[in-house]
Amino acid sequence: MEHPVHLALALADGPWALAGAMFLAGLAGGFLHCAAMCGPFVMAQTLARMGTGPIRLAGAALAPYHLGRFVSYSALGAVLGGLGGALAALPGLRLAIPVLLALAGAMFALQAFGKAFGAQSGGLAAWLGRRVRPLLDAPGPVRGFALGVALGLLPCGFLYAALAAAAGSGGAGEGALAMAGFVLGTVPALAVVGFAGAMAAKRWRAALAAVAPALMAVNAALLFWMAWRAL
């Protein structure tokens, strides 16, 4: 008999479908959430680079920072995807995959309708902020990468929804791919903050206020559909 986790992924059209859905979620949530929550870290890096001399386009892109986020989130997705797959392989727990996907869909649906949840933990966020502040003092590729990795651990309700979807992917590789799609989706919003500043990001956010919730709702619908197909 085919492994239940592999069967679930086959019915849901495979990990690339989930990665695409997560990209949509990251793209929409990037402007509605990430630009406000992570924008200060992006602006701090950009301003620090300006303090060392004329900033170039490549410097404003903050590629090492985004690469660090990519590594951190993908690693988290791999761990949770592996755990979710192992859970679903246990006797009597075949429904773990569709339940996790449905949970992620519900969490993104709440985001689509403006219901924020799981706000950042003030104490932990403040503690982590103090630890990463030295990385902002002297800009550079290594410190930017380290900052991206560290901030991947910052408590965030939007991230929790993505991680729930990764856990429902059915495997470590699939979970990493799902979170990779999510991270790539968030890059445009943070790039706007880095290139044009917080005010430009707010204008973009206002312009996308009607579109982003619709994208989030589409993402939630896709996850619900995958959960149903995986039953």
Side-chain angles (χ1 to χ4, degrees):
M1 180 180 294
E2 189 172 2
H3 192 284
V5 174
H6 295 163
L7 178 61
L9 285 174
L11 292 175
D13 289 341
W16 287 103
L18 179 58
M22 297 305 296
F23 177 83
L24 283 179
L27 186 63
F31 286 97
L32 294 181
H33 178 86
C34 299
M37 301 306 294
C38 298
F41 294 104
V42 172
M43 285 299 300
Q45 292 179 83
T46 303
L47 292 174
R49 286 174 177 269
M50 291 176 64
T52 61
I55 185 169
R56 297 182 179 181
L57 193 62
L62 302 178
Y65 168 70
H66 292 301
L67 180 60
R69 294 175 61 241
F70 184 92
V71 170
S72 185
Y73 287 154
S74 296
L76 288 173
V79 171
L80 289 177
L83 290 175
L87 182 66
L90 295 175
L93 294 178
R94 185 186 64 83
L95 292 180
I97 294 297
V99 167
L100 287 167
L101 290 173
L103 175 63
M107 295 172 78
F108 280 124
L110 289 174
Q111 295 277 348
F113 292 102
K115 304 295 184 182
F117 61 91
Q120 286 187 343
S121 171
L124 181 56
W127 178 85
L128 185 59
R130 290 193 297 270
R131 295 301 182 275
V132 303
R133 188 171 292 116
L135 299 176
L136 297 170
D137 294 338
V142 174
R143 293 195 175 198
F145 177 82
L147 181 65
V149 171
L151 293 183
L153 305 176
L154 195 66
C156 169
F158 185 49
L159 175 61
Y160 298 156
L163 291 176
S169 66
E174 292 85 349
L177 182 62
M179 290 306 295
F182 176 76
V183 173
L184 292 176
T186 65
V187 169
L190 296 178
V192 169
V193 174
F195 284 125
M199 292 303 297
K202 289 181 180 179
R203 288 195 293 269
W204 276 67
R205 181 178 181 178
L208 292 172
V211 178
L215 289 177
M216 197 76 75
V218 169
N219 164 261
L222 286 172
L223 289 171
F224 283 132
W225 177 75
M226 292 177 188
W228 177 74
R229 290 289 299 273
L231 288 173

